[in-house]
């Protein structure tokens, strides 16, 4: 391949770095060329590469499966042919001679298997979860083979490892959980031996299998989880999550153009951000990294020189103060008053009724005869209110937004809270939320005031913010995307 510099050598006793590339970081030949540069430029470490399916492919496979199960085999086959052509064209532009022919042969075999699977789905008119896992896994099988071949072509000693042979899970199809002992052992055997020989192992994320070899998946977005599983099993130095934004941002750039990259944050802060509506990479998927104290770097493959965000087990002392501001829109505030007082029997009843209606609640506070809750949708509230009529009076206000400030220990710092309220006092702030954690301060405002609240608070807590550069994806996602 032209234009790719001489790859560096990886030594067998260097420390391991697991590098995960999301769908947008492998979406076309330009993206894969960037990946090659990023992998081969690393110095003094041993990379292990984990890739998602090409952007959009998992959704297209799911759609094809649904079409086939509805009896529309023609349209299902048509869309998998488009997926095939897309991979083939990328292979054509990145590979030459026998490397191209070899990959082409492998892809063709896999595509034939995919077509027969769709035929079976059409015949049985059912896409059960076992077949669905088998179907969706093809995306990562294709992308990992393609990336392995492209790395080899660029002179890197890359070796493909089928993740289904080393990540072994239970049979909860669609959301399988690893069987840790056997998984760790198999990873150490399969990946460890390649590293010993100074190879660069390349694996598809998201895919795994049961002990009997039945394909499973780790849940949508599961490639991050694969990276964390591998890193923990191999005792990696760090994980790099390569995506298409510059890192985790102080706020949604769509709400506030001054948003900038957070340099360092804790897993707990990332969890709060996810809970309060930011599209941050989900920290639950990084649990193995957190357990082993492996830092996770969120980096932009379109801007590899950027510092990105590092997520660490414990935030450093100087990371006190506000890290990020989020706004969760479209929430409703529910006030439940019970003249006889709020006791455990009433709370039990409340949660049972909300649960029955699959209405997820966030508790905001409880006082003598009152409970305040937040819900994402008001659809079920009339029925819920009717069911609780004999016990409590249920009222609600919708079109609210929950604005939340996240930062280690911010609740212990009285000054933060007073600055927050001085900043937004005139915006008709309704309720101060009593979450359980010391890491958040949140309040409700009219939805129409959400943006103004975020902008004002950002100015106060992140003064002199230099606007982030726009790298294409940045304005479309608060945090991590592909
Ligand atoms: N390709 C899978 C998905 O779209 C897994 C991932 O990308 O993390 O959910
Ligand atoms: Mg993802």
């Amino acid at each position: 391949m032209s234009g790719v510099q001489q790859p560096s050598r990886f030594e067998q006793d260097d420390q391991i770095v697991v590098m995960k590339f999301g769908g947008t970081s492998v979406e076309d030949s330009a993206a894969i060329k960037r990946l090659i540069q990023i992998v081969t430029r690393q110095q003094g470490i041993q990379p292990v590469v984990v890739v998602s399916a090409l952007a959009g492919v998992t959704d297209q496979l799911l759609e094809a499966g649904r079409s086939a199960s509805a009896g529309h085999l023609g349209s299902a086959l048509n869309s998998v042919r488009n997926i095939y052509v897309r991979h083939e064209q990328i292979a054509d532009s990145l590979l030459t001679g026998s490397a191209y022919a070899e990959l082409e042969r492998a892809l063709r075999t896999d595509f034939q298997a995919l077509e027969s699977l769709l035929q079976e789905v059409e015949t049985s008119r059912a896409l059960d979860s076992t077949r669905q896992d088998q179907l969706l896994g093809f995306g990562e099988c294709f992308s990992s083979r393609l990336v392995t071949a492209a790395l080899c072509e660029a002179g890197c000693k890359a070796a493909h490892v089928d993740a289904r042979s080393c990540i072994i899970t239970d049979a909860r199809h669609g959301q399988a959980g690893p069987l840790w002992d056997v998984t760790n052992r198999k990873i150490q055997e399969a990946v460890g031996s390649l590293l010993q020989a100074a190879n660069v192992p390349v694996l598809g994320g998201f895919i795994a299998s049961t002990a009997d070899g039945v394909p499973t998946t780790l849940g949508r977005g599961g490639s991050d989880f694969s990276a964390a599983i591998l890193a923990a099993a191999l005792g990696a130095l760090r994980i790099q999550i390569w995506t298409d934004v510059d890192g985790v941002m102080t706020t949604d750039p769509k709400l506030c153009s001054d948003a900038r990259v957070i340099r360092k944050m804790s897993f707990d802060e990332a969890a709060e951000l996810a809970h309060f509506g930011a599209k941050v990479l989900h920290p639950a998927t990084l649990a193995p990294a957190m357990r082993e104290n492996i830092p996770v770097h969120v980096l932009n493959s379109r801007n590899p020189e950027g510092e990105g965000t590092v997520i660490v087990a414990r935030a450093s002392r100087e990371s006190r103060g506000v890290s990020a501001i989020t706004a969760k829109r479209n929430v409703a505030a529910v006030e439940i008053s019970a003249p006889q007082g709020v006791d455990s029997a009433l709370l039990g009843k409340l949660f049972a009724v909300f649960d029955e209606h699959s209405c997820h609640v966030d508790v905001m506070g409880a006082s003598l005869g009152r409970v305040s809750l937040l819900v994402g949708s008001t659809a079920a509230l009339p029925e819920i209110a009717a069911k609780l009529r004999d016990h409590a009076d249920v009222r609600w206000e919708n079109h609210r937004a929950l604005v939340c400030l996240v930062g280690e220990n911010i609740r212990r710092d009285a000054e933060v809270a007073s600055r927050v309220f001085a900043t937004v006092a005139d915006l008709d702030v309704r309720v101060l939320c009593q979450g359980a954690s010391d890491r958040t301060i949140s309040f409700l405002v009219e939805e129409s005031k959400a943006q103004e609240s975020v902008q004002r608070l950002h100015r106060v807590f992140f003064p002199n913010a230099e606007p982030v550069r726009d790298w294409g994806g940045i304005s479309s996602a608060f945090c991590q995307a592909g």
Side-chain angles (χ1 to χ4, degrees):
M1 186 198 319
S2 61
V4 174
Q5 32 97 155
Q6 203 48 34
S8 55
R9 300 256 311 277
F10 303 117
E11 307 287 342
Q12 63 183 50
D13 39 351
D14 285 339
Q15 286 202 282
I16 296 162
V17 172
V18 175
M19 309 174 72
K20 178 257 169 174
F21 293 84
T24 52
S25 300
V26 289
E27 65 187 347
D28 52 23
S29 59
I32 296 177
K33 282 182 188 163
R34 285 193 295 268
L35 173 152
I36 294 169
Q37 297 264 352
I38 291 167
V39 173
T40 55
R41 251 189 220 161
Q42 307 275 325
Q43 297 287 336
I45 56 119
Q46 281 209 294
V48 172
V49 176
V50 177
V51 293
S52 288
L54 274 52
V57 165
T58 312
D59 286 332
Q60 287 157 4
L61 288 169
L62 186 57
E63 208 30 60
R66 289 187 179 143
S67 299
S69 73
H72 308 305
L73 184 61
S75 95
L77 293 178
N78 213 14
S79 67
V80 305
R81 264 172 220 137
N82 290 336
I83 298 176
Y84 175 74
V85 170
R86 181 172 165 199
H87 285 78
E88 217 251 18
Q89 282 170 348
I90 298 175
D92 186 37
S93 79
L94 295 178
L95 306 174
T96 51
S98 61
Y100 173 77
E102 202 180 305
L103 181 75
E104 234 260 9
R105 218 174 307 123
L107 286 183
R108 203 174 275 276
T109 312
D110 271 355
F111 268 96
Q112 275 156 5
L114 172 53
E115 287 182 349
S116 344
L117 177 66
L118 288 170
Q119 265 146 11
E120 270 174 46
V121 170
E122 195 242 11
T123 313
S124 65
R125 286 288 196 278
L127 181 62
D128 59 35
S129 60
T130 313
R131 283 214 185 99
Q132 182 167 309
D133 270 356
Q134 199 182 342
L135 174 68
L136 298 194
F138 276 104
E140 271 72 8
C141 294
F142 300 148
S143 65
S144 56
R145 286 199 185 281
L146 180 58
V147 167
T148 310
L151 277 164
C152 289
E153 178 88 12
C156 178
K157 247 172 82 185
H160 184 256
V161 179
D162 188 342
R164 291 171 301 188
S165 69
C166 52
I167 301 184
I168 307 301
T169 66
D170 54 33
R172 276 187 303 140
H173 287 280
Q175 192 82 51
L179 305 176
W180 294 104
D181 289 344
V182 52
T183 295
N184 288 339
R185 183 165 41 77
K186 294 215 175 221
I187 290 173
Q188 283 151 12
E189 281 164 16
V191 182
S193 60
L194 287 173
L195 290 169
Q196 281 297 316
N199 283 300
V200 176
V202 181
L203 300 94
F206 178 57
I207 53 175
S209 78
T210 65
D212 302 332
V214 180
T216 56
T217 62
L218 302 170
R220 292 303 304 269
S223 295
D224 296 333
F225 194 24
S226 305
I229 293 168
L230 283 154
L234 297 167
L237 181 64
R238 57 177 172 266
I239 297 172
Q240 297 176 342
I241 303 283
W242 289 93
T243 177
D244 61 356
V245 293
D246 274 336
V248 183
M249 309 290 292
T250 50
T251 193
D252 184 344
K254 274 192 268 173
L255 287 181
C256 176
S257 59
D258 288 342
R260 61 185 188 211
V261 174
I262 303 171
R263 293 283 164 238
K264 190 174 192 175
M265 67 194 306
S266 65
F267 283 107
D268 288 330
E269 287 175 309
E272 299 285 3
L273 277 182
H275 180 79
F276 284 99
K279 273 200 259 153
V280 64
L281 89 178
H282 208 286
T285 66
L286 301 173
M290 193 161 131
R291 197 181 60 223
E292 300 296 323
N293 208 354
I294 302 171
V296 176
H297 296 251
V298 181
L299 297 157
N300 188 352
S301 62
R302 296 171 205 259
N303 175 26
E305 308 303 332
E307 276 182 60
T309 299
V310 55
I311 307 175
V312 293
R314 234 168 284 288
S316 60
R317 280 174 167 274
E318 67 268 25
S319 79
R320 290 180 85 93
V322 178
S323 293
I325 305 169
T326 67
K328 195 177 199 168
R329 288 159 182 265
N330 211 1
V331 297
V334 185
E335 284 286 327
I336 298 166
S337 44
Q340 302 87 324
V342 176
D343 58 10
S344 56
L346 177 65
L347 286 177
K349 175 101 195 144
L350 277 182
F351 286 116
V353 173
F354 276 87
D355 237 28
E356 233 172 80
H357 290 269
S358 307
C359 187
H360 176 79
V361 297
D362 274 327
V363 181
M364 304 218 306
S367 60
L368 224 44
R370 222 176 241 279
V371 184
S372 330
L373 303 174
L374 264 193
V375 298
S377 151
T378 53
L381 289 176
E383 273 186 63
I384 291 174
K387 280 202 184 146
L388 291 169
R389 197 169 34 220
D390 295 339
H391 309 272
D393 179 38
V394 181
R395 291 165 191 273
W396 60 92
E397 293 180 327
N398 47 19
H399 304 300
R400 296 288 178 271
L402 180 67
V403 176
C404 179
L405 294 91
V406 176
E408 288 296 332
N409 300 314
I410 57 171
R411 276 269 276 284
R412 296 205 192 153
D413 188 343
E415 210 206 312
V416 176
S418 65
R419 284 171 80 196
V420 170
F421 293 106
T423 307
V424 294
D426 60 316
L427 293 181
D428 196 16
V429 170
R430 287 298 171 85
V431 194
L432 163 63
C433 307
Q434 296 294 336
S437 119
D438 272 350
R439 280 179 219 99
T440 62
I441 292 176
S442 51
F443 58 85
L444 273 181
V445 282
E446 295 261 355
E447 203 165 63
S448 60
K449 305 273 171 60
Q451 178 156 16
E452 163 111 52
S453 308
V454 170
Q455 288 173 344
R456 285 193 195 177
L457 290 165
H458 201 275
R459 241 173 279 135
V460 169
F461 289 101
F462 302 96
N464 316 318
E466 275 183 31
V468 287
R469 290 169 69 186
D470 190 336
W471 292 99
I474 198 96
S475 57
S476 62
F478 181 169
C479 299
Q480 197 246 354

